[in-house]
Amino acid sequence: MKSVIIIGGGVGGLCTAVRLLNKGFKVTVLEKENTLGGKVNIIKRNKFKFDLTASVLMTPDIYISIFKDIGKDYKKYINFVKLDTLYRVNYYDNTSIDISYDSRTMINTLEDIQDGLSKEYIDFLSESFKKYSISKSNFLDKDMIDIKEVININSMSKLIELKPFSSSSNYISSKISNEKLKNYLIFKSMYIGINPYDSSNLYTLIPAISQLYGLWYIKGGFYEYIRALEKLIYELNGSIKLNTRVDEILIDESRILGVRCKDKVYESNIVICNADYPYAIKNLFRYNLKRPFNKENIDKKELSCSVFILYLGLNKKYKELKTHNIYINKNFKESIEAPFKGEIPKNLSLYIYYPSHIDESICEDGYSALNIMVRVPNLTYKNINWDENSTKKIRNKIIETLKDLNGLEDIEEHIEDEEYLTPLDLEEKFNAYKGCAFGLSHKLKQTAYLRPHIKSKCINGLYFIGSSTHPGNGVSVIIDGSKVLSELIYKDYFND
Ligand SMILES: Cc1cc2nc3c(=O)[nH]c(=O)nc-3n(C[C@H](O)[C@H](O)[C@H](O)COP(=O)(O)OP(=O)(O)OC[C@H]3O[C@@H](n4cnc5c(N)ncnc54)[C@H](O)[C@@H]3O)c2cc1C
């Protein structure tokens, strides 16, 4: 039986483990932390349970696909709940728009705002969906290792069809005339940590997919998906070792030999690195690999922004909040662009996650849990040191901004417990390179063939999976990526 070592128990590592076990490989996952899931994790404090980062679940079919592919019934592992209101979008002038999954409700909402706005929105959805279909079948679901896959008449004509060169903001402005709807769509297009004012309009597919496929919630919180993957790995006789940090990936000139941890060497001819790609290239190899996998190449890459998250345990429930909420502040463009210029925005625009709206099981009766996320600069910017002082400052600014939302004026009085996540935590806990929340940036020049490859060309048996490699960031994207990678490995070892 071929044995595989996977470094890191993030979504990418776990999904690849499940798929390879099902294909008959012997798999061991080595995770440095004492929990699985990487950035998809959980904080349990006193009466409260918080999802650490990911909360927005799009395209449930992709989450289900892993169970289907190995012949299991997902309903025995996770319980999906469909959200009727996708987002409640609050604006600084005290107005709000509910983005509904139901098309009739949504059309009525938009027509109440402005005559003809629903048609503009439907046109936008239709074009953005086309972009999604083209990029999924031609780029995302391909391994993108061979240049011939990229430079051929078919893929080039598909790329031209995508018209990816104008920014999300310009593209949205060309389709939508209403400022409020426009800003909601711009906010959603930066979901993967890019600046929507200067990055490809490809990512407007994100709000379109949310609208067309809906948003879903897993009962108990996002971490239940990680628990399900862990269960699958054990059922398929895989091995997981927590608190096991890999210090070196062992190679000779052209072959993988295994990995070295503090007190043990794990030998294997197949190693998959799920630790963040730029961190791994810089830290886990004794020798510099050949281009493009070399350390110097990492310094040329553009990075995504980071996040600051405030977790609030409240002794009150707020009926004014839906599960997903957005607050669009004044000077919106400044608030969105600031993190990409190394600044904390003067006026914060927020993403507010309130699972207590839909799930009674995560807190005791009468209590509720709230995460508030703000995009902030990554750690390449040295002007913010994330000490107690700077953390308190942004925490207070968030609370003051929250009080501007209808019904949340008294929120400070009801805080019973609180916790923070800073870029430093992302770096220290999960080895997220420079504290980036979303890995290497998804600029066009770092997409598809131009993103770090999932298979090393110079070292036989070395593979990569995760946000910073192809196909990219986001749980469903990585789940799909694990399918591509496991099929590639199977082909490499059984179909020669
Ligand atoms: C704030 C935030 C919000 C997000 N929101 C969403 C969302 O709503 N929806 C969505 O779909 N996606 C969201 N994402 C993105 C999603 O969480 C990530 O794309 C995904 O979790 C990344 O998975 P990964 O496989 O790259 O691994 P990671 O999560 O990066 O895990 C890598 C693992 O490797 C381990 N590791 C690192 N170095 C070593 C070593 N030397 N030895 C052993 N183990 C090691 C780490 O501890 C970690 O467990 C969000 C991300 C962030 C940060």
Side-chain angles (χ1 to χ4, degrees), residues 196-300:
Y197 292 93
D198 79 353
S199 297
S200 167
N201 68 67
L202 271 185
Y203 303 108
T204 59
L205 62 81
I206 298 166
I209 292 308
S210 309
Q211 182 70 65
L212 296 167
Y213 286 76
L215 293 182
W216 302 73
Y217 176 82
I218 299 179
K219 189 99 204 299
F222 219 111
Y223 198 70
E224 292 307 307
Y225 195 69
I226 299 299
R227 286 195 221 281
L229 293 173
E230 179 183 19
K231 216 165 157 193
L232 291 179
I233 291 175
Y234 284 129
E235 283 171 6
L236 293 163
N237 296 320
S239 163
I240 296 172
K241 299 197 184 302
L242 297 176
N243 302 307
T244 307
R245 192 186 70 210
V246 170
D247 293 324
E248 188 182 348
I249 299 177
L250 303 169
I251 51 175
D252 69 10
E253 270 179 21
S254 63
R255 257 182 340 136
I256 200 90
L257 303 173
V259 301
R260 183 175 52 74
C261 299
K262 193 172 163 208
D263 46 16
K264 189 166 174 184
V265 165
Y266 291 84
E267 288 179 12
S268 177
N269 295 324
I270 309 172
V271 169
I272 301 169
C273 181
N274 175 225
D276 196 21
Y277 176 87
Y279 148 82
I281 293 295
K282 287 242 167 169
N283 295 282
L284 294 184
F285 296 93
R286 186 172 301 188
Y287 309 106
N288 205 359
L289 300 183
K290 285 189 192 141
R291 288 188 66 238
F293 295 87
N294 55 330
K295 296 182 205 280
E296 295 75 16
N297 207 9
I298 298 298
D299 299 328
K300 295 182 196 148

Side-chain angles (χ1 to χ4, degrees), residues 7-13 30-33 35-40 52-58 63 191 222 244-247 274-276 279 284 307 309 351 373 421 426 429-431 436-438 465-468 472-476 478:
I7 306 167
V11 175
L30 307 176
E31 166 56 52
K32 72 187 253 300
E33 289 296 301
T35 55
L36 289 174
K39 294 183 208 106
V40 179
L52 185 75
T53 64
S55 55
V56 180
L57 196 160
M58 300 188 284
Y63 289 73
Y191 175 83
F222 219 111
T244 307
R245 192 186 70 210
V246 170
D247 293 324
N274 175 225
D276 196 21
Y279 148 82
L284 294 184
V307 290
I309 304 181
Y351 164 61
M373 185 162 102
L421 179 102
L426 286 171
K429 232 174 143 40
F430 304 119
N431 285 332
C436 294
F438 311 97
I465 178 98
S467 346
S468 290
N473 176 71
V475 175
S476 54
I478 295 176

